[in-house]
Amino acid sequence: MQEANRDQQLRSLWNELGNHPERLQREELDCLNEALTHTSSGLHPHHEQLEFLGDAVLRLAASEFIAVAYPQMPVGERSSLRAQLVSDRWLTQLGEAITIEQWWRIGPKASGDPTAAATIRAELSEALIGAVYRIAGLQAVQTWLSPHWQRSAEAVLADPHRGNSKSALQEWSQGQGLGLPRYACSEISQRHGDPKRFQASVTLSPDLAADGWGRSRREAEQQAAEALMAQLKASSSGRA
């Protein structure tokens, strides 16, 4: 009975992603289940292999989306936009949008840690992308993700800094006569897809500093710059 209930849950998810649940076979249901089973659960198989696949699929599908939606956009701007559309933050937002916690299987320790929730949403969303690709191909991934990307892309393109916190911080610091922000970055994990693989710190004279984490050095530095910008905004609001 428990397995039948789980199968029904997975069919419901598949339907919400815009697919036909009646077409799912046993192997395909198992694939979805694997994608939604986090390592913290202690269950096998778990999400990591599909997350690895989803990472590659996500970048390809996002590239195709941008090429179709913004055919005149220069390559450099496409690269910048894609970075926003495949980021851990975007994946976390995707997980929130589909309420992925309705279907995930995670360990009791992880379920009681609000800080870990965003990381788990990002990891399992990427694994789910890998599962959708394996079951139904790239077109199914694009059909599912394109509406989410459209909203995100419009928000990014409306931002004069294109979501580039490093650029925004540099512009602010130079405008204040504080010179350039200084970044330091180190690799603290060698696990592929680890959203905290790199840790970056940014400092700005005289005594401003913040930290950030990411799957790449670039992402960690962006997160650090964004954290410092948030500090500055909060400080400014406090003085108002």
Side-chain angles (χ1 to χ4, degrees):
M1 180 62 72
Q2 187 174 3
E3 182 177 345
N5 288 339
R6 181 59 174 171
D7 286 353
Q8 186 56 44
Q9 287 181 334
L10 296 173
R11 291 181 187 278
S12 175
L13 169 60
W14 192 244
N15 182 62
E16 291 200 20
L17 299 185
N19 300 296
H20 300 286
E22 65 275 8
R23 297 181 183 175
L24 287 175
Q25 304 300 312
R26 177 76 262 155
E27 182 179 351
E28 295 163 339
L29 288 166
D30 289 344
C31 184
L32 287 175
N33 203 38
E34 179 180 338
L36 294 163
T37 301
H38 193 257
T39 50
S40 64
S41 69
L43 300 172
H44 295 274
H46 51 65
H47 78 285
E48 284 189 337
Q49 291 192 20
L50 286 169
E51 182 188 6
F52 179 80
L53 174 62
D55 178 55
V57 173
L58 177 64
R59 293 177 65 84
L60 174 59
S63 298
E64 289 289 332
F65 165 79
I66 294 169
V68 172
Y70 304 102
Q72 305 304 318
M73 181 177 285
V75 172
E77 292 185 26
R78 289 188 186 193
S79 179
S80 178
L81 177 58
R82 184 181 64 183
Q84 302 295 322
L85 301 185
V86 302
S87 67
D88 288 338
R89 168 178 290 185
W90 187 87
L91 284 164
T92 298
Q93 292 171 346
L94 176 67
E96 292 172 348
I98 66 172
T99 57
I100 198 169
E101 60 268 23
Q102 291 185 63
W103 295 282
W104 71 21
R105 298 194 298 177
I106 65 176
K109 184 176 180 180
S111 64
D113 182 0
T115 305
T119 297
I120 293 173
R121 285 190 182 96
E123 291 177 344
L124 296 188
S125 293
E126 196 161 53
L128 186 58
I129 291 169
V132 172
Y133 172 77
R134 179 165 290 174
I135 294 168
L138 187 62
Q139 185 58 54
V141 174
Q142 291 173 321
T143 299
W144 165 31
L145 298 182
S146 288
H148 298 279
W149 275 327
Q150 189 63 52
R151 290 188 290 271
S152 299
E154 289 172 359
V156 169
L157 296 176
D159 180 351
H161 295 289
R162 298 290 195 267
N164 189 334
S165 297
K166 288 184 67 175
S167 175
L169 180 61
Q170 179 174 315
E171 183 176 309
W172 179 87
S173 66
Q174 290 182 311
Q176 297 295 314
L178 300 178
L180 296 174
R182 295 180 297 278
Y183 294 89
C185 190
S186 59
E187 186 176 18
I188 58 177
S189 165
Q190 294 188 338
R191 185 170 70 85
H192 175 81
D194 187 345
K196 292 191 175 182
R197 181 174 180 178
F198 292 91
Q199 178 179 10
S201 61
V202 58
T203 56
L204 191 61
S205 297
D207 57 359
L208 298 171
D211 296 316
W213 291 263
R215 300 187 188 200
S216 66
R217 295 179 185 275
R218 176 180 177 180
E219 185 173 354
E221 290 178 353
Q222 285 286 356
Q223 292 296 323
E226 183 174 343
L228 189 50
M229 289 293 292
Q231 287 184 28
L232 295 170
K233 184 176 180 180
S235 176
S236 177
S237 298
R239 292 194 300 268

